[in-house]
Structures are given as C-alpha cells and as structure tokens.
Amino acid sequence: MNSKLGNHAAISLAALGVLALAACSDGGDDSFAAKACEVTTDAGTVVVGSGNPGDPSLPEPSSGYKVGMKAVTSRSYMVVSANPLATRAGCNVLKDGGSAVDAAVAVQAVLGLVEPQSSGVGGGTFMMHYDAGTKQVQAYDGRETAPAAATEDYLRYVTDAASGSPLPNARSSGRSIGTPGTVRMLELAHNDHGRKQWSSLYAPAIDLANNGFKISGRLADAIGGAASNLQRDPEASAYFLNADGTPKALGTTLKNPDYANTLGLIAQGGANAFYTGPVAQSIIDKINVTTSANGAGPITPGLTTLTDLANYQPKRREPVCSGYRSWTVCGMPPPSSGGIAVAQILGILENFQLAPLAPIPIDGEGGKPTVQGVHLISEAERLAYADRNAYVADTDFVPLPGNGIPSLLDKGYLKQRASMISLTQSIGTAQPGTFPNAQPVGLSIGLERGTSHVSIVDRYGNVVSMTTTVESSLGSYHFTRGFILNNELTDFSSAPSDATGPIANRVAANKRPRSSMAPTLVFKNNTAGARGDFLMATGSPGGSTIIQFVAKTVVGALDWGLDAQQATSLVNFGSANGPTTNVGGEHPDVDASNNGINDPLVVGLRALGHTVNTASQSSGVGTIIRTSTEGAASLTGGADPRREGIVLGDVIR
C-alpha cells in the first residue's frame, strides 16, 4: 500500500474528526494566514460555514444568475468549486501544505454530500493535472464502465430476445448504472501527486455528514423535481423526502451518517474499501432491485457484478494538447469528446481574427457579445460537433478515423473546415469531415446533463482541472450507503447503428460511454513556440453544452482579454450542430423577453440564418488564471454566477 495512504486500520472516525480541525491550521509560513480561505468583502472577511451574516454557504433560493461577482486574487493557491463548503474544504487542505490533488480529494468528498445531484463516489471523473516540478501534463480517466455482461442492446431490451424495454425507463433502471470510477481515479492521482495522508482528506466531509448541513437552493430544486422518482427507492425517500413524501425544503438540515461511514471506510481502507466488501455488495444489491418501494411497478435490474467492481481500473491517458495562436491548450482525450472538440473549435477559429470581435461594451459580467463573434464561434462548434457525433467514442474499442487525434487536429484539415464558414450565412447543420480510411458511421447525438467542475492551483504550482459527474440530476435515483448511483450508461447510444452504419458510441462490455466533459489547461508558449508556463485552468458542467461553455471561456480570456470572472460570467452561446444556436437568456446582458425580438445579438444572429434559443444556460464554469499583481506572481479566479460556487485562496483582494 502506498505510504501516503497510511495505516488506515489504525485511524478511527473519532480521530478523523480531530484531523478535520487540524486541516484548518496553516503551515506556518504564510503571512496571509489571517484571511486565507475566507471570503474577503468590503466589510472584512467572512468564514465559510460560520453561519454569520455574509456567509456564502447560507442557503438561498437558486437564483439563475448572481450579478456583481468580481475576480478574486490570491498570492499562491486557489480553489474554485460549485459549493462554498466544498471550496472551503479544499482551500484548507492547500493552506495546510497539501497538493492540488489532495485538495481535489477533499473537495469531491464534500461535493458528494452537499450537491449529490451532480457528483459523488457513485459516479465518474476526468482530471487534468499539471506537475510544476516535471512540467508534465497528465490526463486521468475515472469514467464509469459498462458491465462485462452488457450487450449492444443493453439499454434497449431486457434481453437479447427483445422482450421489452428496461423499466420504468432506461435511466431509472439498474441498466443505467455504470461501475463508478471516481474513488479509484482519485486514489491513482493521489498515489502520483498527493502530499497529505489520504485518510485526513476525508475528515471535512465526514464532519459535515455527521453534524449536518443546510440544503442549498440547487439541491432543493433537484429534490423537488425528482420527488416521484426518489419515492421508488426507500433509502432515497427516507433521506431526501419528508415522512409524507414531500421534498425536504431549502434550509433544512440534512445529516448523513451513512455517507460518513462510507467515507470513513474509504479513508481507512483506500479505494479497495469501496470496490470490495460491504460497500460493493450494497452497490450490487441496489443495482439488482426489481420492485419500486412505492408500488409504482417493476424496475429492471442491471447486470453489474462484484467482479465488475473489483476489476475496475482508472487510466492515465495522454492529454489532447494543441497550439492556439501563442498558447497551448490541453484537454481530455477519449472516452471524453471534450478535449478533441475544444481543440478543433480553437483550431478552426485560429483562421479568423477574433480580437476585433470582442464584446461591446465589456463590463463586469463579461459584456455584450458581438453578432459576428458569436456567429464565427458557433459555426466552428457546428463543424467540431459534427466530427464528435460521428467519430468520437471510447478509443479502446473504436478507433478514430485517419491517424486518430493528429488527423482530427491537423492544421490543414482544420483550415479546410474553416473555409466552409460563411461570414453572412449559418451552415445550419454541418457534416462530419472525411478521412481516407473512415468507415461509414452512424450519428450519436444523445444529450448529457448534471455534473460539477473544480479548478485548483496549489502553492507549489501544481494544477488540477477536474470535471465530475453522476450524469443526470440525482443520477439513476438509486441510493445506497448515503450516496447516489450514476446513470452514466445512458451516455451511450441506445441504438447500436442507424441507416448509415454502426454508431461509435454504442454499448459494449467494459466500454466507457462517451462524455463531453472538458477539464482544460492553458499554457503560454515560449519563444521557441513550445508549451511554456501554466496560464489557465477551466471547465464546466452542462452535458453536451460543456464544450460550448469551455470554448467561450477560453476565447473570452485569450482573445478578448477578459479576467477570470468576466470570462466565466460571459454570456453562454454556441451550437451543438443543427440550426439552433444557444444564447443564454439568464444573463443580464441578454434581453430574452418576447423570444429575444428586442435584443440586437439575437436579431443579428437570426438575420444570418441562426435559429436562436434564448433559454437559460446552466453552466458551472470555474476558472483560475495566473497573472501578476504589483509585479508579483498571483492567481485570479472566477466562479460561475449561475451556480453556488465561490473562489477561495490566500487572498490578496
């Protein structure tokens, strides 16, 4: 066992509670200790979780968009996550000398408690890591897998004999639940890059689970929207609903001793305590449930076994890195489509001058995007999504066309794709590119939802960009030992083929479903044009629109000079291919009333042939940018005003 895991069996849960307090102490060499990991306001500092006025963890209704958020500047370390309590846990780890990966473990443990609708130990995770010492960029794949017994019709039919569809539907059945990958992946990354003892990193979440936290606006909304589905599971119903079946409301104190116990076992026994033994058996038992607790009818069980859990392995993968103007952008390779799609979008846009197309005017919310800026980026996205939908899946099972990633990111190929963009008319629906050895393929365009994102920089210069998920809000609605089980397998195409040919993202035994998650790292190029110093970490939840959210944030920072908060807050826009272009109507710089007929951006796009959708875009971007303050190196961070997240670090201002 890795030495950083320590002697798990010798650490009691009571001792972990002591460690939670110790994790809040400073390493002793930080002159900013008095206000590190606190929210700095005009009236002074506020302790997250204190319950005092101004505490950002105090529950408030889900607002859709919070106006007036400003970039946070720190001296040497920073955490951005989607929940204040999770951000605090990670920041305290950094304050105590922990690494970015250490902080990621602590953040994920808390997120699984306070926003179980988005991520947790029952789900999967992709992580991009930059090691400041070795200058190495590494991708970590903790994506869920289909069971060994899965066939290509696993989500369509109960048996290969076509004896009906999974009940009550594919998502809510045991068939949607993939073998979770988060815990094994975090352990692998911690073995590589951890500095603190594994057991100590779970202490903040265990403390919160035992002592309780108040239901936030987004969790309250999730419970309210899923109440009837949660009633099918007795454990989920008991935890999320009142005795009369009504949803537990905003501000209700939730305690989760079962989750505390699960985390305690992981803290003491490492990932093996999750993938084998009583926790694993509980997962299998829940996947095998066949009847609804509320008498609503049968549930189709999944075919996952204890062997599937025990055999799960995370993977170190080569990141997708490509040049963009004077920067290098690195993202996740397959089974995520995010890294390739973002790189293709930027590679196409490199053939256009975007700087003159910056928002007008630029304001604290990012500003009003220009018609031509949104048009060009949306057209580049149409072309990238066309390739994604046709070709990208788990490359351990289905190869990419041509020579793989180099062919898809070839500068000549992307220049040819860029030539298809008209400045005066939208493509509408783009077709995938052609490659000499590509076979006929069907299209997989299924939507994904849910998810959370975390960006972290530690005092040593190491960086984590991590996107983590249970797929849809509250996953499969199957709940055991205090955590939600994912519905990640519905990210596969349920049909194995269409009239054109086999679908790359079809189900197969032990295969990982395609994702859109796009944790991203950006580096300045050196004078020789090679990857140089770290510049930026970003990413977002949002299902298939993640790619759009990340692309607009990267362009906003690199091409338009927006700070970390402005680029994060900027109007969400883009296209997943097809005639529709999204323009996030939740943003204060967009007039979505009367279907946008009075908004010049919407009107201008429609004049170019775009079908504009002004529905709210629920991104959750978290961005950190390395910069300088008064001549000294510093970090600036932005949390998405559309969610509940905050930025913490050794704050300068």
Side-chain angles (χ1 to χ4, degrees), residues 459-470:
R459 68 177 69 203
Y460 316 104
N462 306 309
V463 187
V464 161
S465 181
M466 181 175 81
T467 312
T468 176
T469 185
V470 291

Side-chain angles (χ1 to χ4, degrees), residues 193-455:
H193 304 290
R195 298 174 68 96
K196 308 296 287 185
Q197 197 168 41
W198 170 267
S199 57
S200 70
L201 305 175
Y202 288 91
I206 290 171
D207 183 63
L208 273 172
N210 280 323
N211 293 314
F213 68 98
K214 294 184 183 298
I215 292 177
S216 67
R218 289 188 65 83
L219 177 53
D221 289 349
I223 297 171
S228 61
N229 289 301
L230 294 170
Q231 287 173 357
R232 285 194 292 268
D233 186 303
E235 292 177 84
S237 182
Y239 182 65
F240 291 110
L241 308 178
N242 296 310
D244 62 358
T246 58
K248 290 183 178 177
L250 173 74
T252 302
T253 297
L254 273 184
K255 294 183 180 181
N256 194 340
D258 288 340
Y259 185 65
N261 180 264
T262 296
L263 293 188
L265 293 171
I266 296 169
Q268 296 181 57
N272 281 340
F274 183 85
Y275 290 91
T276 62
V279 175
Q281 185 62 59
S282 294
I283 293 171
I284 299 304
D285 290 345
K286 189 53 61 100
I287 292 173
N288 284 326
V289 164
T290 59
T291 58
S292 299
N294 62 350
I299 298 174
T300 301
L303 300 180
T304 304
T305 66
L306 285 170
T307 301
D308 289 313
L309 286 172
N311 286 346
Y312 180 84
Q313 292 298 321
K315 299 193 176 187
R316 299 183 188 88
R317 296 192 187 270
E318 284 299 311
V320 175
C321 293
S322 61
Y324 178 61
R325 308 192 199 278
S326 60
W327 303 280
T328 295
V329 180
C330 295
M332 280 300 306
S336 181
S337 63
I340 291 175
V342 170
Q344 282 195 318
I345 292 163
L346 296 176
I348 292 168
L349 292 174
E350 199 170 28
N351 294 281
F352 301 91
Q353 292 298 317
L354 289 185
L357 304 178
I360 301 174
I362 292 175
D363 60 22
E365 311 304 325
K368 182 75 170 181
T370 61
V371 173
Q372 198 61 218
V374 173
H375 171 70
L376 284 178
I377 294 169
S378 298
E379 297 299 280
E381 289 171 349
R382 285 180 164 86
L383 293 162
Y385 273 92
D387 280 358
R388 165 195 182 268
N389 294 342
Y391 298 125
V392 182
D394 185 346
T395 47
D396 293 342
F397 289 77
V398 180
L400 294 168
N403 294 318
I405 292 174
S407 293
L408 288 167
L409 301 187
D410 177 76
K411 294 291 186 181
Y413 171 68
L414 295 177
K415 184 175 183 179
Q416 181 270 326
R417 297 289 274 171
S419 71
M420 301 171 67
I421 295 177
S422 164
L423 299 181
T424 59
Q425 182 67 37
S426 175
I427 295 170
T429 301
Q431 297 302 309
T434 57
F435 299 87
N437 66 342
Q439 300 297 312
V441 290
L443 296 182
S444 175
I445 55 175
L447 296 178
E448 307 139 40
R449 299 174 179 84
T451 314
S452 198
H453 182 78
V454 182
S455 292

